[in-house]
Amino acid sequence: MVFDRLYNRLQRYYYYYLKKYYRYSLIKNGILIDRTVTLVDRPHITLTSEFWYSEKGEFIFNKDVKVGRNFNCECYGGKVIIGEGTTIGQNSTFYGHGGIEIGKNTLIAMNCIIVSSNHQIPSRNESIKNMKDTLLPVKIGSDVWIGARVTILGGVIIGDGCVVGAGSLVTKDLPPYSVSIGTPAKVIRFR
């Protein structure tokens, strides 16, 4: 009984200091993180890439953001802003080349992917690998619900209050308060 209580107390201290270390390591690497942000696990966030870009990107967590397990963000020199009160589900991945901006109180479910760039398609005589990326910013409004396994491609604006059904592929702008599903996502009704 006494051993169990001691073990539980040590476990709480361990997780408390582990979370403080995660937060400190993010701040040390140049990531702006509010003290009210909840991190379930240590997210993998890189601001630059050793392969393509020399510019340093920017990543901002605003107040009361909650981030699930195995969150991955590669800024590649772009700017990623997560709005106040937003929740990001586990295993979600963001590629922030062209910039990603997410509004307030948005819910992004698990396994979502956001890509804010695209490759140019060259002629047959040129290599695709050597082409520069086209930077295409992604903007997601406030009070949006993105379902599980949704993929959002570059250059898309998702309006305030939208709902995007699970497994959808968003390739075009979605008007405010629309409900969309499918591949590619199509508006089926409005809230």
Side-chain angles (χ1 to χ4, degrees):
M1 182 87 165
V2 173
F3 179 75
D4 289 338
R5 279 190 279 169
L6 180 61
Y7 177 77
N8 289 338
R9 181 178 285 177
L10 286 172
Q11 196 172 25
R12 280 196 307 267
Y13 284 135
Y14 171 75
Y15 285 116
Y16 172 77
Y17 285 108
L18 190 63
K19 286 182 180 181
K20 281 190 105 150
Y21 169 74
Y22 289 160
R23 187 177 304 277
Y24 172 74
S25 66
L26 290 173
I27 293 168
K28 183 180 168 194
N29 289 325
I31 294 160
L32 300 175
I33 181 169
D34 189 87
R35 62 186 173 85
T36 59
V37 171
T38 302
L39 304 172
V40 173
D41 197 359
R42 183 178 183 183
H44 174 77
I45 301 170
T46 58
L47 300 178
T48 186
S49 169
E50 55 204 46
F51 297 116
W52 299 291
Y53 301 100
S54 59
E55 295 176 26
K56 189 172 183 181
E58 192 173 352
F59 192 101
I60 301 170
F61 281 116
N62 283 304
K63 292 180 184 177
D64 298 320
V65 171
K66 292 176 179 52
V67 181
R69 205 172 270 109
N70 298 324
F71 172 67
N72 181 35
C73 182
E74 304 286 344
C75 290
Y76 294 136
K79 184 174 186 177
V80 178
I81 302 170
I82 310 295
E84 187 176 316
T86 292
T87 300
I88 301 170
Q90 64 190 27
N91 301 318
S92 291
T93 302
F94 297 175
Y95 297 101
H97 306 56
I100 298 171
E101 184 179 344
I102 300 171
K104 295 179 180 180
N105 300 314
T106 290
L107 174 61
I108 298 175
M110 67 288 291
N111 299 307
C112 289
I113 298 173
I114 301 175
V115 182
S116 63
S117 70
N118 201 349
H119 283 287
Q120 299 173 6
I121 301 175
S123 65
R124 292 182 188 182
N125 301 331
E126 297 179 81
S127 172
I128 292 174
K129 181 183 170 193
N130 295 332
M131 298 304 292
K132 295 240 184 223
D133 284 342
T134 303
L135 304 180
L136 302 166
V138 172
K139 184 171 183 184
I140 300 172
S142 297
D143 189 33
V144 173
W145 176 20
I146 308 290
R149 292 189 182 269
V150 169
T151 299
I152 301 170
L153 298 183
V156 170
I157 297 173
I158 298 176
D160 291 342
C162 283
V163 175
V164 182
S168 297
L169 173 64
V170 182
T171 60
K172 295 182 180 172
D173 294 353
L174 298 175
Y177 299 99
S178 63
V179 177
S180 306
I181 58 170
T183 304
K186 292 182 182 170
V187 176
I188 57 168
R189 67 182 178 94
F190 286 86
R191 286 178 55 196

